[in-house]
Amino acid sequence: MKSSIHRSRRAATAVALGSVLALTATACGDDGSGGAGVKGGEGSGKGTIIFWDNNGGVRTDIWKQVIADFEKKYPDIEVKYVGIPAASAQSKYDTAIQGGGLPDVGGVGTAMLAEVAVQGALEPLDGRLSKSPLNGRLSQNLIDVSKAAGGGETLYQVPTSANNGTLWYRTDLFKKAGLDAPTTWSKFYAAADKLTEKGKNAFGFTIRGGEGAIAPALDAVYGQTGITSFWNGDKTTVNDPKNVAALEKYVALYKRDTPSADVNNDFTKMVAQWDSGTIGMLSHNLGSYQDHLKALGKDKFRGIPNPTLDDGTRVQVSNPVDGLSLFRSSKNKAAAWKFIEFAVSAEENSKFNESAGQVPANTDAAKDAWIQRAEPTKLAAEALNGSGTKIVQLPYYLPDWNTISKADNEPNFQKLLLGKMSAKEFLDTLADQLNAAQADWKKNH
């Protein structure tokens, strides 16, 4: 079953590429956009450009504010906004790549970046960025994530925002127990044990066992071992013996220091359980801040970046990065690039991320007052932009990454928690699939 899924995805990409070639001569609309094979042009730098928001509805209001600011500064450029729900953004791009009608500019997150780029739809941006006022003002760590997600060497996305793994902890429970903030993995494990009183339905931690469990588990594993690369040559480091030992320690928390229901936790269940109970710590991203604030009030919890090693070394896996891409088929790339530059300028990037509750990619925006007031975001920005932070780049560029990390191995992670699979078996299985996917990718690139 697994191999057939992989083959079908590769076949779908091949069909898409064939369709692009077949449509190259004809797929060009009057709106300045076309299919992936159309090269487009610089244009006059004036007129109309089309912008696709890949999180339409959720981000519509703030994007319309950014567009209004842009059109005020550039009255000879009109931006037509198209909001696309996040769940259908990938399929919308795939359809337009094959049939024409791509935008000039679009929101393309790192999770879909490789699939859009491999079909020839995106304009390389390294040269434009090197000559831009944005050069040197964007988080280098986020630029590196964007490049890695696009295949490793070329920038196809200017990052706008990032989330970050956050360890939320109950300051009231920590104070009562006489515990320090869980800033290191040693303090994290000590706190998980001390805060657990099963007779009182009190637990030190809640672990994510259901949908979306793999990324936080890998974050915990690499964070504990300090291994800084996902690959050693063409083989993944995911099943390195140090990672196996770290995973064994992490999953041993299940049922000892966590509720047994955690085996089925997706983020919604996990957050609701933490907000309504007496659980010491929760590992999630910045997105749940408002939920915690509403449920607990600002004085009972705190959000900090995931723990470091005892010597202060911070290693974390890459989080998906939101960003803007310039489409190769655009007939007005000059105007489209002006919009990207404007949207990621300090003032607009700050405004956008204050609304989105995420970390700005623009390092000047990351110093603004609202971030200093929102401590979890402030600390996340410092961690993401810190020169001492080492980011393990997850292979978003692999066409099979989502299948491997979700459909294939989320059920295995539940087996691991339940004692039906060892940490070594789990990571060896994951490694075998990743090594095969990497070999296939390299063969075709």
Side-chain angles (χ1 to χ4, degrees), residues 13 27 66 104 147 162 165 230 268 340 384 404 415 418 420 432:
T13 301
V66 172
D104 299 279
K147 282 193 172 185
F230 198 78
T268 305
I340 292 175
L384 279 172
I404 291 170
K415 290 179 183 177
L418 295 170
K420 297 177 181 179
D432 287 345

Side-chain angles (χ1 to χ4, degrees), residues 88-298:
S88 57
Q90 176 73 66
S91 60
K92 179 79 171 175
Y93 280 125
D94 285 342
T95 299
I97 287 169
Q98 295 179 51
L102 284 166
D104 299 279
V105 181
V108 181
T110 48
M112 72 173 81
L113 186 64
E115 283 200 33
V116 178
V118 77
Q119 297 181 72
L122 302 179
E123 181 85 358
L125 298 174
D126 301 85
R128 292 177 191 268
L129 183 59
S130 69
K131 300 171 186 175
S132 169
L134 293 176
N135 191 33
R137 298 189 180 278
L138 301 180
S139 165
Q140 188 58 49
N141 280 337
L142 296 192
I143 290 283
D144 291 344
V145 172
S146 294
K147 282 193 172 185
E153 296 179 0
T154 304
L155 184 69
Y156 289 110
Q157 175 219 55
V158 175
T160 57
S161 318
N163 223 319
N164 202 46
T166 300
L167 184 63
W168 302 98
Y169 72 98
R170 289 282 298 271
T171 50
D172 55 340
L173 301 181
F174 270 68
K175 183 177 180 180
K176 185 178 179 182
L179 289 165
D180 292 334
T183 52
T184 67
W185 286 105
S186 297
K187 292 178 179 179
F188 166 82
Y189 282 109
D193 284 341
K194 188 166 185 180
L195 292 171
T196 299
E197 294 184 70
K198 293 181 182 178
K200 296 182 179 179
N201 201 34
F203 298 92
F205 185 55
T206 174
I207 198 168
R208 189 166 180 170
E211 183 183 353
I214 304 302
L218 292 179
D219 216 358
V221 165
Y222 281 96
Q224 290 176 77
T225 63
I227 294 172
T228 58
S229 177
F230 198 78
W231 300 103
N232 182 9
D234 291 332
K235 302 296 181 183
T236 180
T237 60
V238 77
N239 61 337
D240 183 285
K242 291 180 182 177
N243 282 346
V244 172
L247 184 60
E248 286 173 344
K249 188 173 185 180
Y250 182 69
V251 299
L253 292 170
Y254 175 63
K255 287 207 296 189
R256 187 187 74 202
D257 293 329
T258 80
S260 59
D262 282 4
V263 70
N264 294 313
N265 270 353
D266 58 12
F267 88 89
T268 305
K269 293 174 185 173
M270 186 175 64
V271 167
Q273 178 178 258
W274 193 71
D275 286 346
S276 62
T278 50
I279 299 173
M281 295 175 289
L282 157 75
S283 184
H284 191 237
N285 57 45
L286 294 169
S288 53
Y289 176 66
Q290 293 299 330
D291 292 320
H292 308 325
L293 195 62
K294 183 178 179 181
L296 300 169
K298 63 184 177 69

Side-chain angles (χ1 to χ4, degrees), residues 132 134 315 322 339 373 379 441:
S132 169
L134 293 176
V315 178
D322 290 332
F339 178 68
R373 292 191 299 268
L379 296 175
W441 184 83

Side-chain angles (χ1 to χ4, degrees), residues 310-381:
D310 287 342
D311 65 3
T313 300
R314 182 177 303 286
V315 178
Q316 60 185 64
V317 300
S318 54
N319 281 267
V321 172
D322 290 332
L324 296 173
S325 294
L326 175 58
F327 282 80
R328 190 165 173 250
S329 58
S330 171
K331 292 181 179 178
N332 201 348
K333 292 175 186 175
W337 178 249
K338 283 181 185 177
F339 178 68
I340 292 175
E341 282 187 319
F342 182 84
V344 195
S345 64
E347 183 178 352
E348 298 300 320
N349 194 231
S350 177
K351 182 186 299 185
F352 178 85
N353 281 287
E354 183 175 12
S355 172
Q358 293 186 306
V359 179
N362 189 303
T363 52
D364 291 331
K367 299 170 187 173
D368 280 359
W370 70 269
I371 286 197
Q372 307 310 309
R373 292 191 299 268
E375 188 195 37
T377 308
K378 174 177 179 280
L379 296 175

